[in-house]
Amino acid sequence: MKILFYGTASYDKDSFNKELKSYPNIKIDFIETNLTPMTAALARGYDAVCAFVNADAGAMTLEILAGFGVKLVLMRCAGFDAVNVPVAKDLGMKVTRVPAYSPQAIAEHAMGLALCANRRIHKGYNRVRDNDFNLEGLVGETLYGKTAGIIGTGRIGAALCRICKGFGMKVLGYDVYQNPSLEGMVEYVELDELLRRSDLISLHCPLFDSNRHMINADAIDKMKDGVIILNNSRGQMVVEQDLADALNSGKVAFAGL
């Protein structure tokens, strides 16, 4: 099998080449170019393409790939939203993804964003580099005793729930499907109640048409003043201008994106 690997970073090449030693019948060519309709023709002569979450694997891209005989689209990410799956199915192409990769790492990163924003660590770092040790404007809020609202309680969201619980926070959850492993740890509530009660809100769900732009002006109006918002999901979960307006007004204290 010959695979064209789009959007290659140095760590991609190093890790995949290491694994390829066990698979002598697979050949991967790595390119830095991202997968788009304009670059799909580069896959002529390949059996499969491998792309990341920021690829454009829409209908036009897939039709070009199929025209060159590509039968397999390998997404090295958890979601399918970069791929027009119905079109791929009609073209007889198979689409695969990574069902989970280190949910703990992503949850830890989310809490790192919360701490950095809340305690202004990034601003403090720059200030100390200038030999300025003034704490003015750098003092944050204690998370202990506060309420965390986790939207999406799959593997990643569940990992963050456990981290928040370790910080001594009360944890609210919202999901179409409740995670049985969180019983006794998370109080599941409706979305409006989560928005109203939470001091910290973190998004950990795949992107669908039903939840696109779920964090908008109306949703933000329901939140507490000074709330912290984290988005480790897709950018389109949040209306950027509405979040910017809320940050400028002080309604949202900090955002970690």
Side-chain angles (χ1 to χ4, degrees):
M1 177 181 283
K2 289 182 63 180
I3 304 171
L4 184 60
F5 196 105
Y6 282 88
T8 306
S10 59
Y11 48 80
D12 290 321
K13 192 170 184 179
D14 292 343
S15 59
F16 275 80
N17 276 333
K18 182 179 178 181
E19 295 300 323
L20 276 176
K21 295 176 182 177
S22 302
Y23 301 94
N25 294 327
I26 296 177
K27 182 180 185 300
I28 298 180
D29 288 328
F30 298 92
I31 59 174
E32 295 182 6
T33 304
N34 202 3
L35 176 61
T36 69
M38 298 295 293
T39 62
L42 297 173
R44 181 195 297 267
Y46 289 86
D47 304 297
V49 296
C50 182
F52 193 48
V53 64
N54 57 348
D56 176 3
M60 185 179 295
T61 299
L62 295 173
E63 289 168 0
I64 295 170
L65 292 174
F68 290 130
V70 174
K71 296 293 185 182
L72 185 59
V73 178
L74 309 165
M75 299 303 296
R76 55 186 191 278
C77 55
F80 284 105
D81 47 281
V83 185
N84 191 323
V85 177
V87 170
K89 186 176 182 179
D90 290 343
L91 292 170
M93 303 173 77
K94 187 171 184 177
V95 181
T96 68
R97 66 183 177 104
V98 181
Y101 50 95
S102 192
Q104 287 78 19
I106 301 170
E108 289 174 12
H109 181 72
M111 182 52 77
L113 285 176
L115 293 172
C116 183
N118 179 39
R119 297 293 179 180
R120 287 79 153 180
I121 293 172
H122 55 303
K123 293 184 177 180
Y125 172 79
N126 289 330
R127 190 175 292 183
V128 170
R129 286 183 67 191
D130 294 333
N131 209 32
D132 180 355
F133 296 90
N134 180 12
L135 291 176
E136 189 71 31
L138 299 182
V139 180
E141 295 283 338
T142 301
L143 294 179
Y144 178 84
K146 297 291 196 305
T147 299
I150 311 302
I151 301 176
T153 56
R155 293 182 180 92
I156 298 170
L160 183 60
C161 288
R162 297 184 181 100
I163 291 173
C164 291
K165 202 69 176 178
F167 271 69
M169 303 182 76
K170 180 176 179 59
V171 184
L172 306 178
Y174 171 77
D175 203 316
V176 177
Y177 304 103
Q178 296 187 11
N179 190 331
S181 71
L182 299 175
E183 185 175 354
M185 180 185 304
V186 173
E187 177 188 355
Y188 278 95
V189 297
E190 293 300 315
L191 180 60
D192 283 357
E193 184 176 352
L194 183 147
L195 298 175
R196 178 174 53 82
R197 292 173 55 188
S198 300
D199 301 289
L200 180 153
I201 296 173
S202 192
L203 306 179
H204 298 280
C205 33
L207 178 66
F208 300 111
D209 289 339
S210 58
N211 62 15
R212 190 183 304 272
H213 292 163
M214 70 182 304
I215 302 301
N216 52 35
D218 289 340
I220 292 170
D221 284 343
K222 298 172 184 176
M223 298 177 189
K224 290 183 177 181
D225 292 343
V227 67
I228 297 173
I229 296 178
L230 307 175
N231 184 15
N232 282 266
S233 300
R234 301 293 184 255
Q236 292 180 63
M237 301 285 291
V238 178
V239 179
E240 292 181 1
Q241 189 59 56
D242 291 351
L243 178 59
D245 292 342
L247 285 165
N248 287 332
S249 71
K251 174 70 176 182
V252 174
F254 311 107
L257 310 176

